[in-house]
Every structure is written in C-alpha cells, then in structure tokens.
Amino acid sequence: MPLSVRARVEIYLPDQSIPAYQDLLRTIVEEFTNTFGGCTVIRGLDGHYLSKFGQIIPDRVNLVYTDTPFDFREHAEEIGGYTDKLRDNAFKALNEEAILVVFWPVYHSE
C-alpha cells in the first residue's frame, strides 16, 4: 500500500470562556477549513505547563488540527512560516505566556 507524507498543523489553545479565546478558536477553525478543507477540534483536554516562574500550571486546552495537502519534506519551510504566523496572531489575540503551534509529518494511505 503506497503512503504519502503530508504535513499536519496543530494549535493548542487555552480552553477559556472569555470571548477573545472563543473568537480565536472560531477563527482558527474557519482558517483551517477554508485553507485546507477541514479540521478537527478536540475540546477540554487536560494540559500542564511550567511557567516562567517555575510553577506547574494546570491548563485546559482545545486542540485544533488539520492535515495539509502538502508534502512535509518538500514544503517544510513554507509550512513553518505559516505556523509562525499562526502563533504570532494567537499571541496578538490572547494574553498568554505560551501557545503551542506545531507541524509534523503524517502518512496517508493512497
């Protein structure tokens, strides 16, 4: 069975009922859906992070991910630029110490 390697983009957003957080979640869903044809949202995950003050902070997060049609190896630089912009825009929209945006290869059956 032949496999193709595609790039998956994920963003982990704090799960807050504050309008700015809900607006950003909605914007990311619309962005991924319009750009890549769809996305998945997994809500209410338990997360933890180490603050800049050395404290472990529990944090509820929503995971939004999409698989792009782009070959991971051939387009890593462009996808990296895209994820940098996602992260920058998320920081502009929210008052957060950390926001995780990642991309990595996934293998699709053809």
Side-chain angles (χ1 to χ4, degrees):
M1 161 173 50
L3 298 175
S4 61
V5 61
R6 301 289 178 223
R8 176 169 288 177
V9 177
E10 300 178 347
I11 183 166
Y12 295 77
L13 297 171
D15 185 9
Q16 301 281 337
S17 60
I18 299 167
Y21 289 79
Q22 294 304 310
D23 291 345
L24 181 60
L25 177 62
R26 191 171 25 262
T27 298
I28 296 294
V29 167
E30 289 173 5
E31 165 69 16
F32 283 177
T33 302
N34 289 324
T35 303
F36 303 114
C39 68
T40 299
V41 180
I42 302 173
R43 297 176 186 270
L45 298 170
D46 287 329
H48 299 83
Y49 71 95
L50 189 61
S51 77
K52 62 184 172 186
F53 302 108
Q55 295 177 319
I56 296 175
I57 308 293
D59 196 19
R60 298 282 291 175
V61 295
N62 295 317
L63 166 60
V64 185
Y65 71 90
T66 188
D67 288 354
T68 75
F70 304 114
D71 182 283
F72 180 82
R73 294 168 290 226
E74 292 177 16
H75 297 281
E77 189 172 323
E78 295 96 328
I79 297 164
Y82 176 78
T83 57
D84 287 345
K85 287 179 186 175
L86 275 176
R87 185 174 174 271
D88 291 345
N89 288 332
F91 272 121
K92 288 177 188 173
L94 304 177
N95 183 22
E96 285 294 325
E97 188 175 312
I99 296 172
L100 179 62
V101 180
V102 299
F103 71 101
W104 52 286
V106 294
Y107 295 85
H108 287 231
S109 298
E110 292 187 2

